[in-house]
Amino acid sequence: MQVFFSEFIGTFILVLMGAGVCANVSLKGTLGSAAGWVAISFGWGLAVFSGVWVSAPSGAHLNPAVTLGLMVNPEATELAPGVPKAMATAMVYVAAQFIGAFLGAVVAWLAYKKHFDEPANQGKVLGIFATGPAIRSYGWNTVSEIIGTFVLVFVIGGFGGTPHGLGPLAVGLLVVAIGLSLGGATGYAINPARDLAPRLAHAVLPIPGKGSSDWSYSWVPVVGPLAGGALGGLAVAVLL
């Protein structure tokens, strides 16, 4: 239960603040309207920083791709200090991440409820909840997500072997860097829970004129990050 609650609250904070910055930038009439990609990248990075900070007991995975990376890394013996590496434990992580991400998206919607209701914003809200490609090409979009998630998991793996105490700040800055460098092709989901659970929230929330939840694309930000996370975890064992 400690692992579950830790991952739940961390992922909740991550998606609440991440979807929140997307809403602030994307919705017309907000005080941050049209602030741009740099604001979104730094907002998501700081959202990760905040989520990691409050979820130390579980190792602050906040991402099924990170959990998978540790599971496939033969050098990793624990999922967090004192948390055994086992499939049942990994499923607790993933369940908490998806539930936290779903509720984080719902609360972000509540924070901007009146802006979501504005006619000028109808049909333009899916990107607040879920990612989408700049150019739709399912194969190449998947490759982009694999690369971004590989960098995430591989570099996080390297943090443990370097003499620093940056902790959550290092992970947050890494996410900013991925957003600014590799995020423009697909919106850098790099986290299946961050995309799929909020996409489900988009589908069920009573948002006027919300449009499609684009389920035909929804597998890309799941398959790509899981593949990238597995490759990153294996690379940590081989190269670091």
Side-chain angles (χ1 to χ4, degrees):
M1 288 306 297
Q2 184 182 42
V3 165
F4 179 90
F5 184 74
S6 176
E7 284 293 300
F8 164 79
I9 194 64
T11 313
F12 171 83
I13 292 295
L14 163 67
V15 174
L16 169 60
M17 297 178 68
V21 71
C22 288
N24 193 23
V25 171
S26 301
L27 295 176
K28 293 183 179 179
T30 70
L31 298 179
S33 181
W37 186 254
V38 173
I40 289 176
S41 295
F42 272 93
W44 271 104
L46 293 172
V48 170
F49 165 76
S50 303
V52 169
W53 193 267
V54 299
S55 55
S58 62
H61 296 192
L62 315 185
N63 183 343
V66 173
T67 305
L68 178 60
L70 283 169
M71 289 294 292
V72 303
N73 180 352
E75 302 295 323
T77 59
E78 295 179 311
L79 295 178
V83 180
K85 180 178 172 180
M87 183 58 68
T89 311
M91 291 299 100
V92 172
Y93 274 83
V94 172
Q97 291 157 2
F98 272 90
I99 295 170
F102 179 86
L103 292 178
V106 170
V107 177
W109 166 70
L110 290 173
Y112 285 93
K113 173 66 166 60
K114 297 304 292 182
H115 292 88
F116 278 106
D117 290 344
E118 284 294 313
N121 289 317
Q122 293 182 12
K124 303 175 182 179
V125 300
L126 177 59
I128 294 166
F129 294 88
T131 61
I135 300 175
R136 188 171 296 252
S137 173
Y138 293 118
W140 286 111
N141 299 152
T142 304
V143 168
S144 179
E145 287 291 334
I146 289 173
I147 293 170
T149 315
F150 173 87
V151 171
L152 175 71
V153 173
F154 181 70
V155 176
I156 287 176
F159 288 162
T162 55
H164 64 70
L166 294 177
L169 179 59
V171 180
L173 290 174
L174 171 61
V175 172
V176 173
I178 292 172
L180 292 176
S181 62
L182 300 171
T186 61
Y188 71 116
I190 59 175
N191 182 340
R194 167 265 175 275
D195 190 279
L196 188 58
R199 192 182 299 269
L200 178 60
H202 175 270
V204 301
L205 285 172
I207 303 171
K210 62 185 174 183
S212 167
S213 298
D214 196 12
W215 291 108
S216 64
Y217 181 79
S218 64
W219 64 271
V220 172
V222 173
V223 173
L226 289 177
L231 291 172
L234 292 171
V236 168
V238 173
L239 300 176
L240 300 182

